Amino acid sequence: MSLLRLTFLGTSAAQPTLHRNLSGLAVKADADLLLFDCGEGSQRQMVRFGTGFTVEAVFFTHFHADHYLGIIGFLRTLGMMGREHPIQLYGPPPARRLLHQAVHLGVDTLSFPVEIHELKDGDRVRRSGYSVQAVGVDHRINALGYVMEEDGRPGRFHLEKARALGVPEGPYFGKLQRGEAVTLENGTTVRPEDVLGASRPGRKLVISGDTRPCTSLAQAAKDADLLVHESTFSDDEQERALETRHSTAREAARVARDAGARRLILTHLSSRHDTDPSKLLGQAREEYTGPVEVAHDGLTVELPLRD
Protein backbone atom coordinates (compact mmCIF):
# COMPACT_ATOMS: atom_id res chain seq x y z
CA MET A 1 0.00 0.00 0.00
CA SER A 2 1.59 3.25 -1.08
CA LEU A 3 -1.14 5.83 -0.34
CA LEU A 4 -2.75 6.33 3.07
CA ARG A 5 -4.67 9.60 3.17
CA LEU A 6 -7.27 10.91 5.63
CA THR A 7 -9.86 13.58 4.90
CA PHE A 8 -11.88 14.90 7.84
CA LEU A 9 -15.47 15.30 6.66
CA GLY A 10 -16.92 16.37 9.99
CA THR A 11 -15.32 17.38 13.28
CA SER A 12 -18.20 18.60 15.44
CA ALA A 13 -19.77 16.80 18.37
CA ALA A 14 -23.52 16.17 18.68
CA GLN A 15 -24.73 18.93 16.36
CA PRO A 16 -23.43 20.65 13.23
CA THR A 17 -22.22 24.22 13.32
CA LEU A 18 -21.62 26.80 10.65
CA HIS A 19 -18.00 25.65 10.37
CA ARG A 20 -18.11 21.98 11.34
CA ASN A 21 -20.19 19.06 10.13
CA LEU A 22 -21.08 15.96 12.10
CA SER A 23 -18.67 13.05 12.47
CA GLY A 24 -17.15 11.55 9.35
CA LEU A 25 -13.68 10.54 8.23
CA ALA A 26 -12.70 9.34 4.74
CA VAL A 27 -9.59 7.19 4.43
CA LYS A 28 -8.03 6.46 1.06
CA ALA A 29 -5.87 3.33 1.14
CA ASP A 30 -4.52 2.95 -2.38
CA ALA A 31 -7.57 1.94 -4.45
CA ASP A 32 -9.84 1.54 -1.40
CA LEU A 33 -11.96 4.36 -0.03
CA LEU A 34 -13.31 3.78 3.48
CA LEU A 35 -15.57 5.86 5.71
CA PHE A 36 -15.37 5.89 9.48
CA ASP A 37 -18.78 7.13 10.64
CA CYS A 38 -21.19 8.92 8.35
CA GLY A 39 -22.93 11.78 10.08
CA GLU A 40 -25.72 13.74 8.46
CA GLY A 41 -24.36 15.74 5.53
CA SER A 42 -21.27 13.57 5.00
CA GLN A 43 -22.00 13.08 1.31
CA ARG A 44 -22.03 16.83 0.71
CA GLN A 45 -18.68 17.08 2.49
CA MET A 46 -17.33 14.37 0.19
CA VAL A 47 -18.29 16.48 -2.80
CA ARG A 48 -16.88 19.60 -1.18
CA PHE A 49 -13.51 18.04 -0.36
CA GLY A 50 -13.17 15.85 -3.45
CA THR A 51 -12.93 12.39 -1.90
CA GLY A 52 -15.09 10.73 -4.52
CA PHE A 53 -17.93 8.29 -3.83
CA THR A 54 -16.25 4.97 -4.58
CA VAL A 55 -16.62 3.78 -1.00
CA GLU A 56 -15.98 0.09 -0.42
CA ALA A 57 -16.82 -0.06 3.29
CA VAL A 58 -18.18 2.08 6.13
CA PHE A 59 -17.07 1.43 9.72
CA PHE A 60 -19.40 2.88 12.36
CA THR A 61 -18.01 3.53 15.83
CA HIS A 62 -21.46 3.48 17.44
CA PHE A 63 -25.06 4.37 16.76
CA HIS A 64 -25.75 7.73 18.26
CA ALA A 65 -27.59 9.63 15.54
CA ASP A 66 -24.81 12.12 14.81
CA HIS A 67 -22.52 9.29 13.71
CA TYR A 68 -24.70 7.32 11.31
CA LEU A 69 -27.79 9.10 9.97
CA GLY A 70 -25.87 10.32 6.91
CA ILE A 71 -25.72 6.78 5.55
CA ILE A 72 -29.39 6.95 4.55
CA GLY A 73 -28.94 9.67 1.95
CA PHE A 74 -25.50 8.48 0.92
CA LEU A 75 -26.79 5.04 -0.08
CA ARG A 76 -29.60 6.62 -2.12
CA THR A 77 -27.08 8.81 -3.92
CA LEU A 78 -24.96 5.77 -4.77
CA GLY A 79 -28.06 4.12 -6.18
CA MET A 80 -28.86 7.12 -8.37
CA MET A 81 -25.28 7.03 -9.63
CA GLY A 82 -25.85 3.48 -10.88
CA ARG A 83 -23.75 1.58 -8.39
CA GLU A 84 -24.02 -2.19 -8.79
CA HIS A 85 -21.31 -3.79 -6.65
CA PRO A 86 -21.87 -4.37 -2.92
CA ILE A 87 -20.97 -2.01 -0.10
CA GLN A 88 -19.90 -3.34 3.29
CA LEU A 89 -21.25 -1.77 6.50
CA TYR A 90 -19.60 -2.62 9.83
CA GLY A 91 -20.39 -1.63 13.39
CA PRO A 92 -21.07 -2.85 16.92
CA PRO A 93 -24.46 -4.35 17.82
CA PRO A 94 -27.20 -3.35 17.11
CA ALA A 95 -25.69 -2.66 13.66
CA ARG A 96 -27.81 -5.25 11.88
CA ARG A 97 -31.10 -3.89 13.17
CA LEU A 98 -30.38 -0.18 12.86
CA LEU A 99 -28.57 -0.30 9.53
CA HIS A 100 -31.23 -2.59 8.08
CA GLN A 101 -33.79 0.06 9.00
CA ALA A 102 -31.65 2.76 7.41
CA VAL A 103 -31.13 0.79 4.21
CA HIS A 104 -34.84 0.10 3.80
CA LEU A 105 -36.16 3.50 4.84
CA GLY A 106 -38.66 4.87 2.32
CA VAL A 107 -40.18 3.26 -0.76
CA ASP A 108 -37.16 3.15 -3.08
CA THR A 109 -35.08 0.00 -3.30
CA LEU A 110 -31.34 0.11 -3.81
CA SER A 111 -29.75 -1.14 -7.02
CA PHE A 112 -26.82 -2.77 -5.25
CA PRO A 113 -26.33 -5.16 -2.31
CA VAL A 114 -25.66 -3.76 1.16
CA GLU A 115 -23.90 -6.26 3.40
CA ILE A 116 -24.11 -5.57 7.13
CA HIS A 117 -21.65 -7.02 9.64
CA GLU A 118 -21.58 -6.73 13.43
CA LEU A 119 -18.19 -6.46 15.10
CA LYS A 120 -17.03 -6.90 18.65
CA ASP A 121 -13.80 -6.09 20.46
CA GLY A 122 -10.89 -7.89 18.78
CA ASP A 123 -12.63 -8.68 15.49
CA ARG A 124 -10.45 -8.01 12.46
CA VAL A 125 -11.50 -7.28 8.89
CA ARG A 126 -8.87 -8.27 6.33
CA ARG A 127 -8.50 -6.18 3.21
CA SER A 128 -5.89 -6.06 0.49
CA GLY A 129 -2.60 -5.06 2.10
CA TYR A 130 -4.05 -4.06 5.47
CA SER A 131 -6.58 -4.89 8.16
CA VAL A 132 -9.10 -3.00 10.29
CA GLN A 133 -9.47 -4.21 13.87
CA ALA A 134 -12.29 -3.31 16.26
CA VAL A 135 -11.41 -2.16 19.77
CA GLY A 136 -13.97 -1.90 22.54
CA VAL A 137 -14.08 1.58 24.09
CA ASP A 138 -15.89 3.30 26.97
CA HIS A 139 -18.97 5.28 25.89
CA ARG A 140 -22.58 5.48 27.02
CA ILE A 141 -23.63 2.78 24.57
CA ASN A 142 -21.87 -0.11 22.83
CA ALA A 143 -19.00 1.53 20.93
CA LEU A 144 -15.82 0.69 19.07
CA GLY A 145 -12.60 2.35 18.08
CA TYR A 146 -10.69 1.09 15.05
CA VAL A 147 -7.08 0.22 14.30
CA MET A 148 -6.16 0.32 10.62
CA GLU A 149 -2.83 -1.48 10.21
CA GLU A 150 -0.84 -1.94 7.05
CA ASP A 151 0.84 -5.28 6.40
CA GLY A 152 4.60 -5.33 6.96
CA ARG A 153 6.71 -4.47 3.92
CA PRO A 154 9.76 -6.32 2.64
CA GLY A 155 13.15 -4.90 3.56
CA ARG A 156 15.12 -2.67 1.22
CA PHE A 157 16.47 -4.34 -1.91
CA HIS A 158 20.29 -4.44 -2.01
CA LEU A 159 21.24 -4.10 -5.65
CA GLU A 160 24.90 -4.87 -5.05
CA LYS A 161 24.12 -8.18 -3.31
CA ALA A 162 21.81 -9.23 -6.14
CA ARG A 163 24.44 -8.47 -8.76
CA ALA A 164 27.12 -10.27 -6.77
CA LEU A 165 24.92 -13.39 -6.72
CA GLY A 166 24.51 -13.19 -10.50
CA VAL A 167 20.85 -12.14 -10.56
CA PRO A 168 20.15 -10.45 -13.92
CA GLU A 169 18.29 -7.16 -13.85
CA GLY A 170 14.65 -7.35 -14.85
CA PRO A 171 11.79 -9.60 -13.72
CA TYR A 172 13.93 -11.48 -11.20
CA PHE A 173 14.53 -8.26 -9.29
CA GLY A 174 10.79 -7.73 -9.01
CA LYS A 175 10.14 -11.28 -7.82
CA LEU A 176 12.77 -11.02 -5.11
CA GLN A 177 11.37 -7.66 -3.96
CA ARG A 178 7.93 -9.29 -3.69
CA GLY A 179 9.37 -12.02 -1.48
CA GLU A 180 9.65 -14.76 -4.11
CA ALA A 181 12.71 -16.98 -4.58
CA VAL A 182 14.20 -17.23 -8.09
CA THR A 183 16.27 -19.91 -9.80
CA LEU A 184 19.00 -18.69 -12.10
CA GLU A 185 20.02 -20.30 -15.41
CA ASN A 186 22.97 -22.01 -13.69
CA GLY A 187 20.60 -23.67 -11.24
CA THR A 188 21.40 -21.46 -8.26
CA THR A 189 18.43 -20.49 -6.11
CA VAL A 190 18.44 -16.97 -4.69
CA ARG A 191 16.10 -16.34 -1.78
CA PRO A 192 14.60 -12.96 -0.87
CA GLU A 193 16.52 -12.87 2.42
CA ASP A 194 19.75 -13.07 0.40
CA VAL A 195 19.17 -9.64 -1.13
CA LEU A 196 16.65 -7.88 1.15
CA GLY A 197 17.23 -6.05 4.41
CA ALA A 198 15.13 -6.50 7.52
CA SER A 199 11.37 -6.29 6.98
CA ARG A 200 9.80 -2.90 7.64
CA PRO A 201 6.64 -2.38 9.70
CA GLY A 202 3.53 -1.03 8.04
CA ARG A 203 1.73 2.13 9.05
CA LYS A 204 -0.80 2.18 11.87
CA LEU A 205 -3.80 4.50 12.15
CA VAL A 206 -6.01 4.48 15.25
CA ILE A 207 -9.45 6.12 15.44
CA SER A 208 -11.02 6.45 18.88
CA GLY A 209 -14.67 7.12 18.11
CA ASP A 210 -16.57 8.52 21.11
CA THR A 211 -15.04 7.37 24.39
CA ARG A 212 -13.66 8.14 27.76
CA PRO A 213 -9.88 7.62 27.85
CA CYS A 214 -9.46 3.87 28.23
CA THR A 215 -6.70 1.29 28.56
CA SER A 216 -7.97 -0.80 25.64
CA LEU A 217 -7.50 2.06 23.19
CA ALA A 218 -4.13 3.08 24.62
CA GLN A 219 -2.89 -0.48 24.22
CA ALA A 220 -4.25 -0.70 20.68
CA ALA A 221 -2.55 2.59 19.79
CA LYS A 222 0.96 1.48 20.84
CA ASP A 223 3.47 3.01 18.41
CA ALA A 224 0.71 4.25 16.09
CA ASP A 225 1.75 6.59 13.31
CA LEU A 226 -1.38 8.61 14.04
CA LEU A 227 -4.01 8.59 16.78
CA VAL A 228 -7.24 10.40 15.94
CA HIS A 229 -8.90 10.91 19.31
CA GLU A 230 -12.07 12.67 20.30
CA SER A 231 -11.59 15.76 22.49
CA THR A 232 -15.08 17.04 23.05
CA PHE A 233 -14.30 19.12 26.13
CA SER A 234 -11.67 21.22 27.90
CA ASP A 235 -10.48 20.97 31.51
CA ASP A 236 -13.24 23.16 32.89
CA GLU A 237 -15.83 20.76 31.43
CA GLN A 238 -14.45 17.65 33.14
CA GLU A 239 -17.71 16.92 34.96
CA ARG A 240 -19.60 17.05 31.68
CA ALA A 241 -17.03 14.72 30.08
CA LEU A 242 -17.58 12.17 32.83
CA GLU A 243 -21.36 12.49 32.58
CA THR A 244 -21.49 12.00 28.80
CA ARG A 245 -18.59 9.50 28.59
CA HIS A 246 -16.46 11.73 26.39
CA SER A 247 -12.83 12.86 26.68
CA THR A 248 -11.15 16.18 27.31
CA ALA A 249 -8.26 17.28 25.12
CA ARG A 250 -5.88 16.73 28.03
CA GLU A 251 -7.13 13.17 28.49
CA ALA A 252 -6.79 12.43 24.79
CA ALA A 253 -3.20 13.68 24.92
CA ARG A 254 -2.45 11.39 27.84
CA VAL A 255 -3.70 8.43 25.81
CA ALA A 256 -1.37 9.43 22.96
CA ARG A 257 1.53 9.88 25.39
CA ASP A 258 0.97 6.55 27.16
CA ALA A 259 0.58 4.74 23.83
CA GLY A 260 3.74 6.23 22.37
CA ALA A 261 1.75 7.42 19.35
CA ARG A 262 3.85 9.38 16.89
CA ARG A 263 1.19 11.99 16.13
CA LEU A 264 -2.15 13.12 17.58
CA ILE A 265 -5.13 14.80 15.92
CA LEU A 266 -8.02 15.98 18.08
CA THR A 267 -11.55 15.91 16.71
CA HIS A 268 -15.26 15.77 17.76
CA LEU A 269 -15.32 19.23 19.34
CA SER A 270 -18.10 20.70 21.44
CA SER A 271 -19.71 23.69 19.76
CA ARG A 272 -18.22 26.04 22.35
CA HIS A 273 -14.80 25.31 20.78
CA ASP A 274 -16.11 25.61 17.24
CA THR A 275 -14.09 28.55 15.97
CA ASP A 276 -11.40 28.78 18.64
CA PRO A 277 -9.99 25.41 19.71
CA SER A 278 -6.81 27.00 21.11
CA LYS A 279 -7.71 26.04 24.68
CA LEU A 280 -7.97 22.38 23.67
CA LEU A 281 -4.70 22.51 21.80
CA GLY A 282 -2.87 24.19 24.68
CA GLN A 283 -4.08 21.68 27.25
CA ALA A 284 -3.17 18.75 24.99
CA ARG A 285 0.35 20.10 24.49
CA GLU A 286 0.90 20.16 28.25
CA GLU A 287 0.58 16.35 28.27
CA TYR A 288 1.93 15.22 24.92
CA THR A 289 5.18 16.41 23.35
CA GLY A 290 4.69 14.92 19.88
CA PRO A 291 3.02 16.67 16.94
CA VAL A 292 -0.58 17.53 17.81
CA GLU A 293 -3.25 19.53 16.03
CA VAL A 294 -6.99 20.12 16.11
CA ALA A 295 -8.82 18.83 13.05
CA HIS A 296 -11.05 21.04 10.96
CA ASP A 297 -13.47 20.02 8.23
CA GLY A 298 -11.50 19.40 5.06
CA LEU A 299 -8.19 18.73 6.80
CA THR A 300 -6.27 16.24 4.66
CA VAL A 301 -3.36 14.23 6.05
CA GLU A 302 -1.13 11.73 4.26
CA LEU A 303 0.82 9.25 6.36
CA PRO A 304 4.27 8.60 4.87
CA LEU A 305 5.74 5.13 4.62
CA ARG A 306 7.92 4.13 7.55
CA ASP A 307 11.64 3.91 6.90
Side-chain angles (χ1 to χ4, degrees):
M1 184 168 70
S2 57
L3 177 66
L4 183 53
R5 182 175 62 219
L6 294 73
T7 302
F8 287 82
L9 304 176
T11 58
S12 182
Q15 59 188 16
T17 70
L18 182 62
H19 304 94
R20 297 178 184 271
N21 199 61
L22 295 173
S23 292
L25 177 64
V27 177
K28 183 71 170 172
D30 278 347
D32 278 2
L33 179 61
L34 311 178
L35 292 184
F36 290 87
D37 286 332
C38 189
E40 183 182 354
S42 288
Q43 62 173 324
R44 185 177 183 278
Q45 298 292 81
M46 296 170 75
V47 174
R48 181 182 178 192
F49 301 128
T51 65
F53 276 13
T54 58
V55 174
E56 295 297 324
V58 185
F59 292 85
F60 296 94
T61 61
H62 65 294
F63 292 103
H64 278 145
D66 57 314
H67 287 257
Y68 86 98
L69 285 186
I71 195 65
I72 298 171
F74 179 57
L75 293 177
R76 264 77 195 151
T77 295
L78 293 181
M80 288 189 289
M81 295 174 68
R83 183 178 177 123
E84 296 180 350
H85 65 280
I87 189 170
Q88 311 295 323
L89 306 183
Y90 299 91
R96 286 196 179 94
R97 175 174 61 84
L98 289 180
L99 291 176
H100 179 83
Q101 292 172 348
V103 169
H104 296 283
L105 183 67
V107 297
D108 296 327
T109 58
L110 293 174
S111 59
F112 57 94
V114 178
E115 300 175 2
I116 301 171
H117 313 269
E118 288 189 345
L119 299 176
K120 62 183 184 301
D121 177 46
D123 285 348
R124 187 183 298 268
V125 178
R126 282 292 315 167
R127 298 193 62 86
S128 179
Y130 66 95
S131 64
V132 180
Q133 182 176 0
V135 179
V137 295
D138 179 10
H139 194 40
R140 285 174 290 164
I141 61 173
N142 195 13
L144 297 172
Y146 290 103
V147 179
M148 183 175 177
E149 193 161 13
E150 183 182 25
D151 295 347
R153 296 181 295 129
R156 295 190 182 279
F157 182 72
H158 295 293
L159 180 61
E160 298 78 8
K161 290 184 178 181
R163 285 174 172 166
L165 291 169
V167 180
E169 295 190 27
Y172 281 180
F173 277 19
K175 286 185 177 181
L176 288 165
Q177 289 173 317
R178 292 192 297 271
E180 303 172 27
V182 299
T183 301
L184 308 182
E185 290 183 1
N186 63 7
T188 301
T189 297
V190 179
R191 299 178 300 274
E193 56 266 30
D194 296 330
V195 295
L196 297 179
S199 61
R200 293 170 288 177
R203 289 161 290 187
K204 185 176 181 180
L205 165 66
V206 180
I207 300 162
S208 75
D210 286 11
T211 183
R212 289 289 299 147
C214 57
T215 302
S216 59
L217 190 71
Q219 291 176 341
K222 289 292 184 185
D223 195 34
D225 293 84
L226 173 61
L227 171 61
V228 178
H229 201 292
E230 73 122 295
S231 59
T232 311
F233 299 114
S234 60
D235 286 353
D236 55 352
E237 303 163 285
Q238 182 69 62
E239 185 175 341
R240 181 67 174 153
L242 288 166
E243 176 188 350
T244 60
R245 310 310 295 170
H246 284 293
S247 297
T248 67
R250 184 179 301 278
E251 290 171 328
R254 287 172 179 163
V255 172
R257 180 196 65 199
D258 294 346
R262 300 180 177 203
R263 183 177 180 182
L264 171 65
I265 296 182
L266 305 174
T267 190
H268 198 267
L269 277 59
S270 167
S271 58
R272 69 182 62 190
H273 305 290
D274 180 25
T275 58
D276 182 13
S278 58
K279 181 184 291 187
L280 301 180
L281 186 60
Q283 291 169 0
R285 284 178 170 162
E286 290 176 2
E287 302 292 334
Y288 174 72
T289 57
V292 56
E293 61 191 298
V294 178
H296 58 81
D297 288 16
L299 174 65
T300 300
V301 174
E302 288 195 17
L303 296 186
L305 291 168
R306 291 196 179 190
D307 293 333

